[in-house]
Amino acid sequence: MIWYPYEQMKTMKPPFQIIDAEGVFLKTPEREMIDSVSSWWSVIHGYKHPVLNEAIKAQVDNFSHVMLGGLTHEPAQKLSEKLQSYLPGDLDYSFFSDSGSVAVEVALKMALQYYVNQGQMQRTKVLSLTHAYHGDTFKTMEVGDDEDYHFILEAYGESENVIHIPTKVPELEKAFEKYHNQLNCMIVEPLLQGAGGMRMYDIAFLKRARQLCDEYGVLLIFDEVATGFGRTGNRFVADLVLPDILVLGKALTGGYIGHAVTVANKKVYDGFYGEDADKALMHGPTFMGNALACSVALKSIEIFEKENYMEKIHKIEEITRREMAGFTDPRVKEVRIMGGCVCVEVFDRAVLRGYQQFAYEHGVFSRPFLNYMYAMVPYIISEEELLKVLRTMKEWFH
């Protein structure tokens, strides 16, 4: 029996049975529906993309996986080289893993050990954001700040090693003034906080964070698992403000296979490099650098570049802003739009009860959560298909 995510198994509604998927469409035995959430924001090229399919088929004829411990292979080497040339600044050193949550764990471990390797044992604290979400493994839950997902940690009590602040510059400055010599890193979902409610904030906050991290010698981590590859309307937010460590996942493989990467700059990498074996990063997910995942990731990035996906994303945002302009309802608290994301926040979560079935009957797959009805569509979506998604969202309130 499948144990499904984020569900009370006794009372859950039976999930939709998918028998096929192609382009932006998911197909059930009864109907097809536009996937308005891109399978948790990852399937940016749509389903059954011929180039990505071929990349998987070609690699599987060679081998599907070998461990990176004592072995290496061309797909992992090529993906590392591609990321080195593709990412901004000196984000050159790729540590692969098998999911976004694990990749964030690696980033947090890197940041802590970076200072341990220098004998700065007092730097045990992490600065994070209120409403943060970084994954469901234990350290990522600790730096997260969403009791709807992470209430289980109440059993341990409040963490002494994580400080949460809102996305306000005065609060940021106060935190650095108080804790700067105890911090090993600051971690953020840059510009767009996903599972914490599609919350959006200004780039000025990140610019000030970069200045303070430089001033006090604190590492800055960008968790771009959700925001990377164009979701905010920027290729990466790291193109605007450069972090020390960048985490990518989800769209990295076009949503084909679970895979992620933690990319460090030279300063961080050099903090581990040397003759002392005790200073090595002792971490190694079994499926890191999986050959199938690396092969499809390379093709995914190639498609993103060659087919000018940033133009597609800007068009999605333009259409969304046009369609949602003037939309109001007494039950709606706010409509937020950024890049390839739109969110309708309601005052009472009960307002959204039944919307998933309503959307299904209108040919759209949606998965609202808490107080948030949102869409993060595949970038290949047509204007007609996007309008169907947006108009279904508005029709629910009519």
Side-chain angles (χ1 to χ4, degrees):
M1 178 178 177
I2 299 173
W3 195 336
Y4 288 94
Y6 303 127
E7 294 282 2
Q8 172 47 261
M9 294 295 291
K10 186 173 183 179
T11 59
M12 73 173 281
K13 174 183 172 293
F16 300 118
Q17 181 78 28
I18 301 304
I19 57 173
D20 196 6
E22 186 168 2
V24 300
F25 291 97
L26 299 169
K27 300 181 183 182
T28 72
E30 296 78 30
R31 69 177 72 237
E32 64 178 21
M33 51 184 173
I34 299 167
D35 183 0
S36 71
V37 297
S38 305
S39 275
W40 271 331
W41 327 335
S42 65
V43 184
I44 60 173
H45 308 293
Y47 297 94
K48 209 183 290 185
H49 193 290
V51 174
L52 300 183
N53 283 7
E54 185 54 41
I56 294 282
K57 292 173 183 176
Q59 182 57 44
V60 81
D61 284 339
N62 293 326
F63 58 89
S64 297
H65 177 69
V66 296
M67 62 189 280
L68 283 191
L71 303 172
T72 193
H73 55 80
E74 188 175 57
Q77 291 167 333
K78 283 188 172 180
L79 181 56
S80 179
E81 290 166 5
K82 180 61 182 177
L83 289 170
Q84 185 172 354
S85 64
Y86 192 60
L87 295 175
D90 62 342
L91 290 167
D92 294 341
Y93 303 91
S94 292
F95 189 97
F96 295 113
S97 56
D98 44 11
S99 75
S101 184
V102 172
V104 174
E105 293 274 358
V106 171
L108 294 167
K109 187 172 178 179
M110 273 183 186
L112 177 60
Q113 190 176 340
Y114 174 81
Y115 291 102
V116 168
N117 283 357
Q118 298 176 41
Q120 297 188 48
M121 307 298 288
Q122 82 283 2
R123 288 190 177 266
T124 57
K125 295 187 186 299
V126 175
L127 186 61
S128 184
L129 302 180
T130 53
H131 309 293
Y133 177 89
H134 295 287
D136 293 333
T137 51
F138 263 68
K139 190 65 180 178
T140 62
M141 285 196 295
E142 188 182 29
V143 297
D145 181 48
D146 196 322
E147 62 183 18
D148 290 290
Y149 296 99
H150 303 150
F151 66 89
I152 185 65
L153 289 188
E154 291 176 5
Y156 288 95
E158 189 173 349
S159 172
E160 296 180 356
N161 290 319
V162 180
I163 302 104
H164 290 101
I165 61 167
T167 53
K168 307 293 183 187
V169 170
E171 296 298 322
L172 174 69
E173 291 173 339
K174 286 178 188 175
F176 270 91
E177 184 179 347
K178 183 175 181 180
Y179 297 108
H180 61 88
N181 63 343
Q182 301 172 61
L183 293 173
N184 61 67
C185 72
M186 178 179 181
I187 183 169
V188 299
E189 301 160 271
L191 294 186
L192 172 63
Q193 294 181 276
M198 307 299 163
R199 298 169 189 270
M200 302 169 187
Y201 61 96
D202 194 85
I203 192 68
F205 179 85
L206 296 177
K207 289 180 177 178
R208 185 63 179 135
R210 178 70 274 176
Q211 291 171 347
L212 290 165
C213 284
D214 289 340
E215 181 178 347
Y216 292 111
V218 176
L219 298 179
L220 181 59
I221 301 173
F222 277 9
D223 174 359
E224 293 219 49
V225 171
T227 62
F229 297 98
R231 191 55 73 178
T232 66
N234 306 285
R235 198 183 63 133
F236 304 98
V237 184
D239 289 330
L240 308 180
V241 176
L242 190 64
D244 300 292
I245 300 173
L246 175 66
V247 185
L248 301 174
K250 289 188 183 292
L252 176 66
T253 66
Y256 264 61
I257 300 178
H259 203 233
V261 63
T262 307
V263 189
N265 66 10
K266 190 173 190 303
K267 178 177 79 171
V268 173
Y269 181 79
D270 285 349
F272 294 78
Y273 190 80
E275 300 292 335
D276 189 348
D278 290 338
K279 291 187 176 181
L281 179 62
M282 299 302 288
H283 204 89
T286 300
F287 295 103
M288 67 181 296
N290 173 264
L292 297 178
C294 291
S295 297
V296 77
L298 277 162
K299 284 298 180 184
S300 177
I301 295 171
E302 182 181 304
I303 294 167
F304 193 96
E305 288 183 294
K306 283 186 175 180
E307 299 186 14
N308 196 1
Y309 267 49
M310 291 310 302
E311 184 177 312
K312 296 179 190 290
I313 295 161
H314 294 152
K315 186 66 175 177
I316 288 169
E317 180 172 7
E318 177 188 317
I319 294 167
T320 303
R321 289 191 182 279
R322 185 191 73 209
E323 184 69 15
M324 301 303 283
F327 169 65
T328 60
D329 186 278
R331 295 162 290 181
V332 173
K333 180 178 180 181
E334 187 179 34
V335 177
R336 296 188 286 274
I337 299 167
M338 179 182 284
C341 174
V342 55
C343 176
V344 178
E345 181 179 355
V346 297
F347 289 102
D348 182 354
R349 68 180 67 183
V351 169
L352 300 181
R353 199 171 295 141
Y355 175 69
Q356 186 177 58
Q357 182 63 31
F358 175 86
Y360 174 70
E361 291 167 1
H362 285 71
V364 174
F365 174 66
S366 178
R367 197 172 187 277
F369 64 101
L370 304 175
N371 294 49
Y372 312 105
M373 171 194 288
Y374 77 96
M376 285 193 182
V377 296
Y379 300 149
I380 63 163
I381 196 166
S382 70
E383 180 168 351
E384 181 183 3
E385 291 159 348
L386 178 57
L387 289 175
K388 185 173 184 178
V389 170
L390 298 172
R391 289 172 182 173
T392 299
M393 294 171 76
K394 292 193 294 183
E395 283 171 20
W396 173 250
F397 294 93
H398 297 154

